[in-house]
Amino acid sequence: MVAVTMELSLAVAADNLRPARLQMAFTLGFHIILACLGVGLPLLMLAAEWRYLKTGDLLWKTLARRWSKAFAVMFAIGAVTGTVLSFELGLLWPEFMGRWGAVIGLPFTMEGFAFFVEAIFAGIYLYGWDRLPKRVHWLTGWPVAISGFFSAFFVVTANSWMNAPAGFRLVEDKIIDVDPFAAMFNVATGAQVTHMIVAAYLVTGFSVASFYAVQLLKRVSAYDRRAFTLSLLLALPLVPVQMIVGDWSAKVVAKSQPVKLAAMEGIFDTTTRAPLHIGGIPNEKTKTTDFAIAIPGALSWMAYGDIDAEVTGLNDFPAEDIPPVAVVHIAFQIMVSIGGFMMLVALWCLVVFIKKRRWPESKAFLGTVVLLGPLSVIALEAGWVVTEVGRQPWIVQGYMRVSEAVTQAPGVWNVFYLTLAIYSVIGVATVSILRQLAKVPVVETSDGA
Amino acid sequence: MGPDDLLLLVMLVALTLYALLGGADFGAGVWEFTTALQSTDKQRQHIYKAIGPVWEANHVWLIFVLVILMNGFPVAFAALSRALWLPLLLALCGIVFRGAGYAFRSYSRGTGRELAMWESVFAIASTATPLFLGASVGAVASGQLAIAADGQYEASHLTGWMSSFAVFTGFYAVGMCAYLAAVYLAREAAVAKEDDLTQLWRQRSLSTGLWMGLLSIGGLAMVSIEAPTLAAGFAHRGWPLVVVSLACGIGSLIEVWRNNFLRAVIASSGAVAAVLWGWAVSQYPLIVPPTITSGVSKAPDNILWTMLVVITVGAVFLLPSLSYLFVLFKSNRQRPY
């Protein structure tokens, strides 16, 4: 009887693996966009309000107020989709949380506080426009921006632990000597956290700039130009920073998750002077990456700082430990090429600025920035796919497989379909409300919100 | 008192604050739901203005309880996730729609029909969420969750929270939210010197207060029949809190009657808090009866101590911020609307 139940539940677990992963991927992929805007938008509204305090120009105040409304909607939806994720940790992956909760839980406890402070000051800032002295009101926006930063920080430390588990010992399958800070600050933490937070500011800056570029292409106004400039000022300087952090991140992956690096690059055979593959489609049957441009030695140099260093290929890892290579490699290529494109745009700006002492204002430039909004979101999602799919089949790299962690509850597919439906409604409604907010005409001399 | 007991205490305080503050926000939505056809625009505005600045912060108490459970008592967290998979998912649906409905309602510039749609989403979700959370708490309190000592769940996903006791606690939670909201809104109306609103919410406080008193007595009878282990706990050491709850409940009615709304707020909060504390004290040290005690589910002591330090440091940021929020929007200062 017991054996039968065991077999049954294992069968259920196997069936649940796909829908549970899809459910987690979809809800996280949805939340991550809102979370990035929630981290970045406060900085923009603080900057606009600061210009208002300095100049007394009501147009700046209008801008800050409108951004604060967009933030309010994003924050509310981000808060509830974030709540979904924290419940899902238990509902979808009870074996994971039950076993590892003690090791991985501390950043979540800390994030609880950051989220709390953020919610409190979001309330004060959003409802305090007419209640607080101007300067005090501006100051109450800072805790929102700072705790948004720390929320992202804490949550990503938990994820980096899943990539590079640390802070415990296993003795006869029992977890002992748990050190929560060693777990939080593992080898992957620094690069991954920085990469994510910079990404959040990039996504915010480019998405907002993209919106105002569309407006400027229709009709040039002082309001739209200010909004455009401010948001580009947030994003552009961070593009080269993200390049460097990305490189750092790749070096960390090379050390802590060599199999992920091999998948990212589509390297099947272990080689010295390993080539960097640009483009290409990994073929898991023939064990080759076809149609790629290969730069010999570049990968060895990128990963280990030495063009002759040996890079372990996928063929030298056990077959059951290898992630879906094509997905990881293509997602990585998408992220990197969008990053490269951003770098070109940043250089374009720099060149025009050095020559003419002003921003490029041509239609071509505006059109390019329009593209950067959606592209930055695609890069974000692609990067997330690299991190998560690249860790498969593990939920805790090297210690627990996703299949061992998944719930045995019935009906996970149905939950996933329902979630798709609910999130579609919420997504469409969010966009529609933001459009309504944007359509209210701007009166240049009033502080009309 | 070990670190696990201290953490349980922190969790209980957070849960209480969630029930009182988050509960009142849900209750406002419950009223919106139950009076949708008869309420005027002014009455609606009163509700929306009251919860606007605070509901996001009030919601975080739930996250707070969740992360402490996840970090400090992972085995209990996993066991609850397995056993209450369905009602927690349904509560989550409610949480998503409540928050989205409120945000869309507040910032939509659309037609009256669109506003009415988001208002009803908000109202229905505000009623559904405490129903399912209350049923989940009831399922735990009843001791009828078939959880083995290793935390695995051994029954179908409809048992436990569909027992008559859990269904009762679901509705009881909705009633509690409505009662708290009525008393709090009466006070806010009195502070704003809106006499007609004060009268309305005073009457609603009195009627829901009476109903909740009757339901509480019925609930005690139900505990003794449906949840014998909990009843034994009540008889053993939970009973003083039952007395406190009844006394506070009666006191809140008297204060509402006498138009002392601030005192009524305190008394009604005391009544609800005592119900939760009575339950917690009676089932201690079990977190998920019948098998999961705090002892078997807790993280190693060094983790628990670290958490307590983190919580203390966090409180240094949290408590002044929270006080500022409430002083700004909920104190007696005349508000400019």
Side-chain angles (χ1 to χ4, degrees), chain A residues 69 72 80 83-84 90-91 94-95 97 102 105-106 109 116 120-121 124 127 131-132 178 181 409-410 429-430 436 449, chain B residues 52 57 59 61 70-71 74 78 81-82 85 95-96 104 107-110 114 152 157 299 302-303 306 318 321-322 324 328:
Chain A
K69 286 192 175 175
V80 293
T83 306
V84 170
L91 294 175
E95 316 305 320
M97 287 318 291
L106 193 65
T109 303
F116 223 138
I120 290 169
F121 280 95
I124 295 174
Y127 288 82
R131 268 171 186 268
L132 294 168
V178 179
F181 290 102
T430 308
Q436 287 178 17
Chain B
H59 166 71
W61 287 114
M70 171 193 287
N71 190 186
S81 299
R82 289 185 199 104
W85 145 265
I95 286 169
V96 168
F104 295 158
Y107 291 98
S108 167
R109 297 273 181 157
E114 198 186 328
Q152 292 298 333
H157 286 81
N302 70 317
I303 299 280
T306 314
L318 181 63
S321 312
L322 207 55
Y324 184 42
L328 201 57

Short mmCIF file of all heavy atoms in Angstrom, two decimals, chain A residues 69 72 80 83-84 90-91 94-95 97 102 105-106 109 116 120-121 124 127 131-132 178 181 409-410 429-430 436 449, chain B residues 52 57 59 61 70-71 74 78 81-82 85 95-96 104 107-110 114 152 157 299 302-303 306 318 321-322 324 328:
data_model
loop_
_atom_site.label_atom_id
_atom_site.label_comp_id
_atom_site.label_asym_id
_atom_site.label_seq_id
_atom_site.Cartn_x
_atom_site.Cartn_y
_atom_site.Cartn_z
N LYS A 69 2.00 58.67 -10.18
CA LYS A 69 0.77 57.89 -10.40
C LYS A 69 1.07 56.59 -11.15
O LYS A 69 0.52 55.53 -10.81
CB LYS A 69 -0.23 58.70 -11.20
CG LYS A 69 -0.85 59.77 -10.35
CD LYS A 69 -2.03 60.40 -11.01
CE LYS A 69 -2.63 61.38 -10.02
NZ LYS A 69 -3.71 62.13 -10.58
N ALA A 72 2.47 54.35 -8.72
CA ALA A 72 1.47 53.80 -7.79
C ALA A 72 0.81 52.56 -8.39
O ALA A 72 0.63 51.55 -7.70
CB ALA A 72 0.41 54.85 -7.47
N VAL A 80 1.11 42.78 -5.42
CA VAL A 80 0.29 41.56 -5.40
C VAL A 80 0.94 40.42 -6.19
O VAL A 80 0.89 39.26 -5.75
CB VAL A 80 -1.16 41.82 -5.87
CG1 VAL A 80 -1.89 42.70 -4.89
CG2 VAL A 80 -1.24 42.39 -7.26
N THR A 83 3.44 38.98 -3.94
CA THR A 83 2.81 38.13 -2.93
C THR A 83 2.55 36.74 -3.51
O THR A 83 2.78 35.73 -2.85
CB THR A 83 1.49 38.76 -2.46
OG1 THR A 83 1.74 40.08 -2.02
CG2 THR A 83 0.86 37.95 -1.36
N VAL A 84 2.10 36.71 -4.75
CA VAL A 84 1.87 35.42 -5.41
C VAL A 84 3.15 34.59 -5.39
O VAL A 84 3.14 33.41 -5.03
CB VAL A 84 1.40 35.64 -6.87
CG1 VAL A 84 1.40 34.32 -7.64
CG2 VAL A 84 0.01 36.25 -6.90
N GLY A 90 6.13 28.06 -1.50
CA GLY A 90 5.63 26.93 -0.73
C GLY A 90 4.65 26.07 -1.52
O GLY A 90 4.72 24.85 -1.49
N LEU A 91 3.76 26.72 -2.25
CA LEU A 91 2.69 25.98 -2.90
C LEU A 91 3.22 25.10 -4.04
O LEU A 91 2.73 23.99 -4.26
CB LEU A 91 1.62 26.93 -3.44
CG LEU A 91 0.84 27.70 -2.36
CD1 LEU A 91 -0.12 28.70 -2.99
CD2 LEU A 91 0.06 26.74 -1.48
N PRO A 94 7.12 22.82 -2.19
CA PRO A 94 7.16 22.61 -0.73
C PRO A 94 8.39 21.84 -0.26
O PRO A 94 8.91 22.12 0.82
CB PRO A 94 5.87 21.83 -0.46
CG PRO A 94 5.48 21.23 -1.77
CD PRO A 94 5.95 22.20 -2.82
N GLU A 95 8.86 20.90 -1.09
CA GLU A 95 10.02 20.11 -0.63
C GLU A 95 11.27 20.99 -0.57
O GLU A 95 12.12 20.85 0.31
CB GLU A 95 10.28 18.93 -1.58
CG GLU A 95 9.05 18.15 -2.01
CD GLU A 95 8.23 17.64 -0.84
OE1 GLU A 95 8.85 17.18 0.14
OE2 GLU A 95 6.98 17.71 -0.89
N MET A 97 11.31 24.37 -0.01
CA MET A 97 11.26 25.28 1.13
C MET A 97 11.38 24.55 2.45
O MET A 97 12.01 25.02 3.39
CB MET A 97 9.98 26.12 1.09
CG MET A 97 9.94 27.18 0.03
SD MET A 97 11.46 28.11 -0.21
CE MET A 97 11.54 29.05 1.30
N ALA A 102 15.48 27.13 6.06
CA ALA A 102 16.30 27.70 7.13
C ALA A 102 17.56 28.36 6.56
O ALA A 102 18.04 29.36 7.07
CB ALA A 102 16.68 26.61 8.13
N GLY A 105 16.21 31.40 3.96
CA GLY A 105 15.10 32.27 4.36
C GLY A 105 15.48 33.67 4.80
O GLY A 105 14.67 34.61 4.68
N LEU A 106 16.70 33.85 5.32
CA LEU A 106 17.03 35.14 5.94
C LEU A 106 16.84 36.33 4.98
O LEU A 106 16.26 37.34 5.37
CB LEU A 106 18.45 35.11 6.50
CG LEU A 106 18.75 36.29 7.43
CD1 LEU A 106 17.89 36.23 8.68
CD2 LEU A 106 20.22 36.35 7.81
N THR A 109 13.31 37.32 4.97
CA THR A 109 12.91 38.07 6.16
C THR A 109 13.35 39.53 6.04
O THR A 109 12.58 40.45 6.33
CB THR A 109 13.55 37.44 7.41
OG1 THR A 109 13.16 36.07 7.48
CG2 THR A 109 13.12 38.14 8.68
N PHE A 116 8.20 46.50 3.48
CA PHE A 116 7.36 47.22 4.42
C PHE A 116 7.63 48.72 4.37
O PHE A 116 6.72 49.55 4.22
CB PHE A 116 7.64 46.71 5.85
CG PHE A 116 6.39 46.50 6.64
CD1 PHE A 116 6.25 45.39 7.45
CD2 PHE A 116 5.36 47.41 6.59
CE1 PHE A 116 5.09 45.18 8.18
CE2 PHE A 116 4.20 47.22 7.32
CZ PHE A 116 4.07 46.09 8.11
N ILE A 120 5.08 51.69 3.17
CA ILE A 120 4.71 52.79 4.07
C ILE A 120 4.99 54.13 3.40
O ILE A 120 4.12 55.01 3.32
CB ILE A 120 5.50 52.68 5.40
CG1 ILE A 120 5.00 51.48 6.21
CG2 ILE A 120 5.37 53.97 6.20
CD1 ILE A 120 5.88 51.14 7.39
N PHE A 121 6.20 54.28 2.88
CA PHE A 121 6.55 55.58 2.30
C PHE A 121 5.89 55.80 0.94
O PHE A 121 5.66 56.95 0.55
CB PHE A 121 8.06 55.77 2.27
CG PHE A 121 8.59 56.17 3.61
CD1 PHE A 121 9.09 55.22 4.49
CD2 PHE A 121 8.53 57.50 4.04
CE1 PHE A 121 9.54 55.57 5.75
CE2 PHE A 121 8.99 57.86 5.29
CZ PHE A 121 9.49 56.90 6.15
N ILE A 124 2.80 57.39 2.03
CA ILE A 124 3.03 58.77 2.47
C ILE A 124 3.29 59.67 1.26
O ILE A 124 2.71 60.74 1.12
CB ILE A 124 4.21 58.83 3.46
CG1 ILE A 124 3.85 58.08 4.74
CG2 ILE A 124 4.56 60.29 3.77
CD1 ILE A 124 4.98 57.95 5.74
N TYR A 127 0.07 60.00 -1.18
CA TYR A 127 -1.08 60.72 -0.63
C TYR A 127 -0.64 61.99 0.09
O TYR A 127 -1.45 62.68 0.68
CB TYR A 127 -1.88 59.81 0.30
CG TYR A 127 -2.65 58.76 -0.46
CD1 TYR A 127 -2.04 57.59 -0.88
CD2 TYR A 127 -3.99 58.96 -0.79
CE1 TYR A 127 -2.72 56.63 -1.61
CE2 TYR A 127 -4.69 58.01 -1.51
CZ TYR A 127 -4.06 56.85 -1.92
OH TYR A 127 -4.75 55.91 -2.64
N ARG A 131 -0.34 67.50 1.58
CA ARG A 131 -0.38 67.49 3.03
C ARG A 131 0.94 67.87 3.66
O ARG A 131 0.98 68.22 4.83
CB ARG A 131 -0.63 66.06 3.52
CG ARG A 131 -2.02 65.74 3.72
CD ARG A 131 -2.13 64.26 3.97
NE ARG A 131 -3.51 63.96 4.02
CZ ARG A 131 -4.23 63.96 5.14
NH1 ARG A 131 -3.63 64.14 6.30
NH2 ARG A 131 -5.50 63.73 5.11
N LEU A 132 2.02 67.69 2.92
CA LEU A 132 3.35 67.87 3.51
C LEU A 132 4.02 69.08 2.89
O LEU A 132 3.77 69.41 1.72
CB LEU A 132 4.20 66.63 3.23
CG LEU A 132 3.74 65.34 3.89
CD1 LEU A 132 4.47 64.15 3.31
CD2 LEU A 132 3.98 65.41 5.38
N VAL A 178 24.60 25.66 9.61
CA VAL A 178 24.05 26.68 8.72
C VAL A 178 24.57 28.06 9.10
O VAL A 178 24.53 28.44 10.27
CB VAL A 178 22.51 26.68 8.78
CG1 VAL A 178 21.96 27.75 7.85
CG2 VAL A 178 21.97 25.32 8.39
N PHE A 181 24.62 34.12 6.72
CA PHE A 181 25.29 35.22 6.00
C PHE A 181 26.21 34.67 4.91
O PHE A 181 26.29 35.24 3.82
CB PHE A 181 26.05 36.12 6.97
CG PHE A 181 25.11 36.91 7.83
CD1 PHE A 181 24.86 36.55 9.14
CD2 PHE A 181 24.42 38.00 7.30
CE1 PHE A 181 23.96 37.26 9.92
CE2 PHE A 181 23.52 38.72 8.07
CZ PHE A 181 23.29 38.35 9.38
N ALA A 409 0.52 18.21 -5.41
CA ALA A 409 -0.89 18.58 -5.43
C ALA A 409 -1.49 18.34 -6.81
O ALA A 409 -0.79 18.39 -7.81
CB ALA A 409 -1.02 20.05 -5.06
N PRO A 410 -2.79 18.09 -6.86
CA PRO A 410 -3.43 17.88 -8.16
C PRO A 410 -3.76 19.22 -8.84
O PRO A 410 -3.77 20.26 -8.19
CB PRO A 410 -4.73 17.16 -7.77
CG PRO A 410 -5.04 17.69 -6.41
CD PRO A 410 -3.72 17.95 -5.73
N ALA A 429 -5.31 45.49 -18.32
CA ALA A 429 -5.88 46.60 -17.56
C ALA A 429 -4.79 47.58 -17.13
O ALA A 429 -4.99 48.80 -17.19
CB ALA A 429 -6.63 46.07 -16.34
N THR A 430 -3.63 47.06 -16.72
CA THR A 430 -2.55 47.95 -16.29
C THR A 430 -2.13 48.87 -17.43
O THR A 430 -2.02 50.09 -17.27
CB THR A 430 -1.33 47.14 -15.81
OG1 THR A 430 -1.76 46.20 -14.84
CG2 THR A 430 -0.26 48.03 -15.22
N GLN A 436 -4.54 55.72 -20.10
CA GLN A 436 -5.50 56.75 -19.69
C GLN A 436 -4.78 57.88 -18.96
O GLN A 436 -5.06 59.06 -19.19
CB GLN A 436 -6.56 56.15 -18.77
CG GLN A 436 -7.56 55.27 -19.46
CD GLN A 436 -8.54 54.67 -18.48
OE1 GLN A 436 -8.67 55.15 -17.35
NE2 GLN A 436 -9.24 53.63 -18.89
N ALA A 449 -2.44 67.33 -11.82
CA ALA A 449 -1.89 66.00 -11.71
C ALA A 449 -2.49 65.08 -12.76
O ALA A 449 -3.66 65.08 -12.95
CB ALA A 449 -2.16 65.45 -10.33
N GLY B 52 -6.99 54.33 1.37
CA GLY B 52 -6.01 54.72 0.36
C GLY B 52 -4.56 54.69 0.77
O GLY B 52 -3.76 53.93 0.22
N ALA B 57 0.65 49.13 3.06
CA ALA B 57 1.45 48.82 4.25
C ALA B 57 0.76 47.75 5.08
O ALA B 57 1.41 46.81 5.56
CB ALA B 57 1.67 50.08 5.08
N HIS B 59 -1.09 45.40 4.13
CA HIS B 59 -0.97 44.10 3.46
C HIS B 59 0.36 43.42 3.79
O HIS B 59 0.45 42.19 3.83
CB HIS B 59 -1.10 44.30 1.94
CG HIS B 59 -0.67 43.13 1.12
ND1 HIS B 59 -1.40 41.96 1.05
CD2 HIS B 59 0.42 42.93 0.34
CE1 HIS B 59 -0.77 41.10 0.27
NE2 HIS B 59 0.33 41.66 -0.18
N TRP B 61 1.91 43.03 6.45
CA TRP B 61 1.95 42.17 7.65
C TRP B 61 1.79 40.70 7.27
O TRP B 61 2.37 39.81 7.89
CB TRP B 61 0.85 42.56 8.65
CG TRP B 61 1.15 43.85 9.35
CD1 TRP B 61 0.46 45.02 9.24
CD2 TRP B 61 2.21 44.10 10.28
NE1 TRP B 61 1.03 45.98 10.04
CE2 TRP B 61 2.10 45.45 10.69
CE3 TRP B 61 3.24 43.32 10.81
CZ2 TRP B 61 2.98 46.04 11.58
CZ3 TRP B 61 4.12 43.90 11.71
CH2 TRP B 61 3.98 45.25 12.09
N MET B 70 8.46 30.85 6.87
CA MET B 70 9.29 30.20 5.86
C MET B 70 10.73 30.05 6.34
O MET B 70 11.37 29.03 6.16
CB MET B 70 9.22 31.11 4.62
CG MET B 70 10.12 30.83 3.47
SD MET B 70 10.08 32.28 2.35
CE MET B 70 8.49 32.14 1.60
N ASN B 71 11.22 31.08 7.00
CA ASN B 71 12.61 31.12 7.46
C ASN B 71 12.79 30.40 8.79
O ASN B 71 13.72 29.62 8.96
CB ASN B 71 13.02 32.59 7.57
CG ASN B 71 14.52 32.77 7.80
OD1 ASN B 71 14.96 33.88 8.01
ND2 ASN B 71 15.29 31.71 7.77
N PRO B 74 10.52 26.20 8.66
CA PRO B 74 10.32 25.77 7.27
C PRO B 74 9.46 24.52 7.14
O PRO B 74 8.71 24.40 6.18
CB PRO B 74 11.74 25.54 6.76
CG PRO B 74 12.62 25.51 7.95
CD PRO B 74 11.95 26.31 9.00
N ALA B 78 6.16 24.35 4.83
CA ALA B 78 5.95 23.39 3.75
C ALA B 78 4.68 22.58 4.00
O ALA B 78 3.88 22.35 3.08
CB ALA B 78 7.16 22.47 3.61
N SER B 81 1.67 24.63 3.22
CA SER B 81 1.54 24.83 1.78
C SER B 81 0.95 23.60 1.11
O SER B 81 0.17 23.71 0.18
CB SER B 81 2.91 25.12 1.16
OG SER B 81 3.46 26.29 1.69
N ARG B 82 1.35 22.41 1.60
CA ARG B 82 0.82 21.19 1.00
C ARG B 82 -0.65 21.01 1.34
O ARG B 82 -1.48 20.75 0.48
CB ARG B 82 1.59 19.98 1.52
CG ARG B 82 3.00 19.87 0.99
CD ARG B 82 3.64 18.56 1.47
NE ARG B 82 5.08 18.63 1.36
CZ ARG B 82 5.90 18.80 2.40
NH1 ARG B 82 5.41 18.90 3.63
NH2 ARG B 82 7.19 18.86 2.22
N TRP B 85 -3.22 23.96 0.06
CA TRP B 85 -2.88 24.40 -1.30
C TRP B 85 -4.03 25.14 -1.97
O TRP B 85 -3.86 26.23 -2.48
CB TRP B 85 -2.42 23.14 -2.04
CG TRP B 85 -2.72 22.96 -3.48
CD1 TRP B 85 -3.77 22.28 -4.01
CD2 TRP B 85 -1.91 23.40 -4.58
NE1 TRP B 85 -3.65 22.27 -5.38
CE2 TRP B 85 -2.53 22.95 -5.76
CE3 TRP B 85 -0.73 24.12 -4.69
CZ2 TRP B 85 -2.02 23.20 -7.03
CZ3 TRP B 85 -0.22 24.37 -5.96
CH2 TRP B 85 -0.86 23.92 -7.10
N ILE B 95 -6.36 38.25 -3.18
CA ILE B 95 -5.37 39.30 -2.90
C ILE B 95 -5.00 40.03 -4.19
O ILE B 95 -4.94 41.26 -4.22
CB ILE B 95 -4.12 38.67 -2.24
CG1 ILE B 95 -4.44 38.29 -0.80
CG2 ILE B 95 -2.94 39.63 -2.29
CD1 ILE B 95 -3.39 37.44 -0.13
N VAL B 96 -4.80 39.26 -5.27
CA VAL B 96 -4.44 39.88 -6.55
C VAL B 96 -5.56 40.80 -7.03
O VAL B 96 -5.33 41.96 -7.38
CB VAL B 96 -4.14 38.79 -7.60
CG1 VAL B 96 -4.05 39.40 -9.00
CG2 VAL B 96 -2.85 38.07 -7.26
N PHE B 104 -6.69 50.09 -9.86
CA PHE B 104 -7.33 50.50 -11.11
C PHE B 104 -8.48 51.47 -10.81
O PHE B 104 -8.68 52.45 -11.53
CB PHE B 104 -7.85 49.28 -11.88
CG PHE B 104 -6.75 48.38 -12.35
CD1 PHE B 104 -6.99 47.05 -12.64
CD2 PHE B 104 -5.45 48.86 -12.53
CE1 PHE B 104 -5.98 46.20 -13.08
CE2 PHE B 104 -4.43 48.03 -12.97
CZ PHE B 104 -4.69 46.70 -13.24
N TYR B 107 -6.98 54.97 -10.06
CA TYR B 107 -6.25 55.74 -11.06
C TYR B 107 -6.90 55.73 -12.43
O TYR B 107 -6.43 56.40 -13.34
CB TYR B 107 -4.80 55.23 -11.14
CG TYR B 107 -4.05 55.59 -9.88
CD1 TYR B 107 -3.89 54.68 -8.86
CD2 TYR B 107 -3.57 56.89 -9.70
CE1 TYR B 107 -3.23 55.02 -7.69
CE2 TYR B 107 -2.91 57.24 -8.54
CZ TYR B 107 -2.74 56.30 -7.54
OH TYR B 107 -2.11 56.66 -6.37
N SER B 108 -7.99 54.98 -12.57
CA SER B 108 -8.66 54.96 -13.86
C SER B 108 -9.27 56.32 -14.14
O SER B 108 -9.81 56.97 -13.26
CB SER B 108 -9.75 53.89 -13.87
OG SER B 108 -10.57 54.07 -14.97
N ARG B 109 -9.15 56.76 -15.38
CA ARG B 109 -9.80 57.99 -15.79
C ARG B 109 -10.98 57.65 -16.67
O ARG B 109 -11.47 58.47 -17.44
CB ARG B 109 -8.82 58.84 -16.60
CG ARG B 109 -7.63 59.29 -15.81
CD ARG B 109 -7.98 60.58 -15.10
NE ARG B 109 -6.83 61.05 -14.35
CZ ARG B 109 -6.68 62.32 -14.00
NH1 ARG B 109 -7.56 63.22 -14.35
NH2 ARG B 109 -5.64 62.69 -13.27
N GLY B 110 -11.40 56.40 -16.62
CA GLY B 110 -12.40 55.92 -17.56
C GLY B 110 -13.82 56.32 -17.17
O GLY B 110 -14.05 57.18 -16.32
N GLU B 114 -16.64 51.77 -16.08
CA GLU B 114 -15.35 51.15 -15.81
C GLU B 114 -15.04 51.22 -14.31
O GLU B 114 -14.60 50.24 -13.72
CB GLU B 114 -14.26 51.85 -16.62
CG GLU B 114 -13.00 50.99 -16.73
CD GLU B 114 -11.86 51.71 -17.40
OE1 GLU B 114 -12.11 52.55 -18.29
OE2 GLU B 114 -10.71 51.45 -17.01
N GLN B 152 4.31 15.57 5.54
CA GLN B 152 3.59 15.20 4.32
C GLN B 152 2.09 15.18 4.60
O GLN B 152 1.65 14.85 5.70
CB GLN B 152 4.07 13.85 3.79
CG GLN B 152 5.50 13.86 3.27
CD GLN B 152 5.72 14.79 2.07
OE1 GLN B 152 4.80 15.07 1.31
NE2 GLN B 152 6.93 15.30 1.94
N HIS B 157 -7.33 17.35 -1.21
CA HIS B 157 -7.15 18.79 -0.99
C HIS B 157 -8.45 19.52 -0.69
O HIS B 157 -8.48 20.73 -0.63
CB HIS B 157 -6.43 19.39 -2.19
CG HIS B 157 -4.98 19.02 -2.18
ND1 HIS B 157 -4.54 17.81 -2.64
CD2 HIS B 157 -3.91 19.67 -1.70
CE1 HIS B 157 -3.23 17.74 -2.46
NE2 HIS B 157 -2.82 18.85 -1.90
N ALA B 299 13.95 26.07 12.52
CA ALA B 299 15.30 26.13 11.97
C ALA B 299 16.30 26.04 13.13
O ALA B 299 15.91 26.19 14.30
CB ALA B 299 15.48 27.42 11.21
N ASN B 302 20.85 29.06 15.79
CA ASN B 302 21.62 30.24 15.36
C ASN B 302 20.85 31.04 14.30
O ASN B 302 20.91 32.26 14.28
CB ASN B 302 23.02 29.82 14.87
CG ASN B 302 22.97 29.07 13.55
OD1 ASN B 302 22.12 28.19 13.37
ND2 ASN B 302 23.86 29.41 12.65
N ILE B 303 20.08 30.33 13.47
CA ILE B 303 19.25 31.02 12.47
C ILE B 303 18.17 31.84 13.19
O ILE B 303 17.93 33.00 12.85
CB ILE B 303 18.57 29.99 11.54
CG1 ILE B 303 19.59 29.18 10.79
CG2 ILE B 303 17.60 30.68 10.59
CD1 ILE B 303 20.16 29.87 9.61
N THR B 306 19.63 34.86 14.70
CA THR B 306 19.95 35.85 13.66
C THR B 306 18.67 36.57 13.22
O THR B 306 18.64 37.79 13.05
CB THR B 306 20.59 35.17 12.44
OG1 THR B 306 21.59 34.27 12.90
CG2 THR B 306 21.20 36.18 11.50
N LEU B 318 11.24 50.25 10.94
CA LEU B 318 9.83 50.04 10.64
C LEU B 318 8.91 50.85 11.55
O LEU B 318 8.01 51.55 11.07
CB LEU B 318 9.52 48.56 10.77
CG LEU B 318 8.08 48.17 10.47
CD1 LEU B 318 7.76 48.49 9.03
CD2 LEU B 318 7.86 46.70 10.75
N SER B 321 8.58 54.61 10.99
CA SER B 321 7.94 54.86 9.70
C SER B 321 6.44 54.63 9.78
O SER B 321 5.63 55.43 9.31
CB SER B 321 8.50 53.93 8.63
OG SER B 321 9.90 53.92 8.65
N LEU B 322 6.10 53.50 10.42
CA LEU B 322 4.69 53.14 10.55
C LEU B 322 3.93 54.18 11.38
O LEU B 322 2.82 54.59 11.02
CB LEU B 322 4.61 51.76 11.19
CG LEU B 322 3.40 50.91 10.88
CD1 LEU B 322 3.23 50.74 9.38
CD2 LEU B 322 3.55 49.54 11.53
N TYR B 324 4.69 57.28 11.70
CA TYR B 324 4.57 58.49 10.89
C TYR B 324 3.38 58.37 9.94
O TYR B 324 2.55 59.28 9.82
CB TYR B 324 5.87 58.69 10.11
CG TYR B 324 5.97 59.96 9.30
CD1 TYR B 324 5.51 61.18 9.80
CD2 TYR B 324 6.52 59.94 8.03
CE1 TYR B 324 5.61 62.34 9.05
CE2 TYR B 324 6.63 61.09 7.27
CZ TYR B 324 6.17 62.29 7.78
OH TYR B 324 6.26 63.44 7.04
N LEU B 328 0.12 60.71 10.31
CA LEU B 328 -0.17 61.61 9.19
C LEU B 328 -1.59 61.44 8.67
O LEU B 328 -2.28 62.42 8.38
CB LEU B 328 0.83 61.31 8.07
CG LEU B 328 1.07 62.38 7.03
CD1 LEU B 328 1.52 63.66 7.70
CD2 LEU B 328 2.13 61.89 6.05
#
